[in-house]
Amino acid sequence: MTIAFACVLIAGLLPIVAAGIAKSGFKNFDNSNPRQWLAQQTGFRARANAAQANTFESIPFFFAAIAIAAIAQAPQDRIDLLAVIYVLARIAFIVCYVADWPKLRTAVWTIALAAIIAIFFQI
């Protein structure tokens, strides 16, 4: 497994991490209707849920970039590096979202997007 493929796996798990943050430690969580419960949350729980949604939105573009780069036999070391940058930026994005640091969140969101675009320029 390449580092980039491992990053695909990690990126696929990030929304689950964000959802776990939103739901963790709360005794009144309603697992029979989690979306309605999450829609009523405020503070860090609402932000973690928003981070989950945004992460799900970002993943297809990243997955496509990695798949296309693999098919095109792009330079693996560069693809690996850019994939790691994407994953680290998305982890930082979740942290920034939960912590309510909007300016830094936007900066790391931009870094993650730039990493995806850079993958396409390696093809």
Side-chain angles (χ1 to χ4, degrees):
M1 176 183 298
T2 67
I3 292 171
F5 288 173
C7 288
V8 166
L9 174 61
I10 294 166
L13 297 173
L14 288 178
I16 297 166
V17 171
I21 294 167
K23 299 172 187 177
S24 68
F26 198 77
K27 295 178 183 175
N28 294 327
F29 173 67
D30 181 6
N31 199 38
S32 56
N33 199 349
R35 290 179 190 228
Q36 181 180 4
W37 182 86
L38 282 167
Q40 297 171 353
Q41 298 311 300
T42 59
F44 84 91
R45 292 183 193 288
R47 291 190 303 273
N49 188 45
Q52 170 191 228
N54 186 279
T55 302
F56 270 128
E57 293 164 3
S58 173
I59 285 175
F61 195 27
F62 174 64
F63 285 8
I66 296 299
I68 293 167
I71 291 167
Q73 297 180 343
Q76 193 63 51
D77 58 334
R78 290 186 203 151
I79 301 306
D80 289 343
L81 175 62
L82 292 166
V84 168
I85 290 169
Y86 170 84
V87 167
L88 292 176
R90 292 307 299 191
I91 291 169
F93 175 85
I94 293 170
V95 170
C96 290
Y97 220 137
V98 172
D100 198 18
W101 300 331
K103 291 180 181 177
L104 186 55
R105 182 186 81 218
T106 299
V108 295
W109 178 90
T110 303
I111 291 167
L113 178 62
I116 295 171
I117 292 168
I119 291 169
F120 281 102
F121 280 97
Q122 304 306 309
I123 299 169

